[in-house]
Amino acid sequence: AWHEIELVGGGGGGGGAVSGSYAGGGSGGGRVVDVVFLVAGTAYTYTVGAPGAAGNPGVTPATAGGSTSFVGPAGTVVANGGAGGLSGGGGVVGGGGSGFSANGYVEPGQPGYSAAPSIQQGGPGGDTTAGGFGGAPSFGSGNAAGAPGGGGSGGSGAIGNAAGGNGAAGRIAIRW
């Protein structure tokens, strides 16, 4: 029978900040929606994207979120994870996760945001179009993201070294 499948990549972690510096948020994971023909009772191979790890206190960039994939009869569908946040002053992260699909569509995750040194704030994480929200802006350690696939916020070094926030794991949903 035909089914709609939705994949969301893991969100990137927020960057860690050194005292007096501010880190950027991680990017949201990509979202892919496709239609696949699945056979009842058949085992399919899949991977759910891991959350990106937060950057440690100090000038430590975060890790990217993992890719989510599903191998069906007609090929592999992939939603890539979001990039990890940058440290040491922030800066916009390279971009949200993307992906690929033979018959569906791809929506990139929102990029992580730059830090706001003028108000001593770490940058918020990027959202996903699947409803995963990025970690809120921080004034200390970064905030964790909301599932599925949101990016963690960057740390704020306003009062000392601060870690970033963790990204959120990806998701696979099969409907119909």
Side-chain angles (χ1 to χ4, degrees):
W2 289 99
H3 296 276
E4 179 184 76
I5 185 168
E6 176 192 52
L7 283 68
V8 180
V18 68
S19 182
S21 184
Y22 310 95
S27 295
R31 175 178 180 244
V32 175
V33 177
D34 204 341
V35 177
V36 294
F37 190 86
L38 302 176
V39 178
T42 301
Y44 294 98
T45 302
Y46 65 91
T47 302
V48 175
N56 293 321
V59 183
T60 308
T63 64
S67 293
T68 297
S69 63
F70 180 86
V71 181
T76 302
V77 181
V78 176
N80 293 321
L86 303 176
S87 299
V92 174
V93 177
S98 58
F100 60 88
S101 159
N103 303 307
Y105 60 91
V106 177
E107 297 175 331
Q110 187 179 58
Y113 291 90
S114 294
S118 62
I119 56 172
Q120 301 183 333
Q121 176 179 286
D127 298 334
T128 70
T129 59
F133 58 88
S138 68
F139 291 95
S141 292
N143 294 300
S153 68
S156 166
I159 56 173
N161 292 354
N166 290 319
R171 170 179 79 185
I172 296 177
I174 298 175
R175 302 179 185 95
W176 305 334

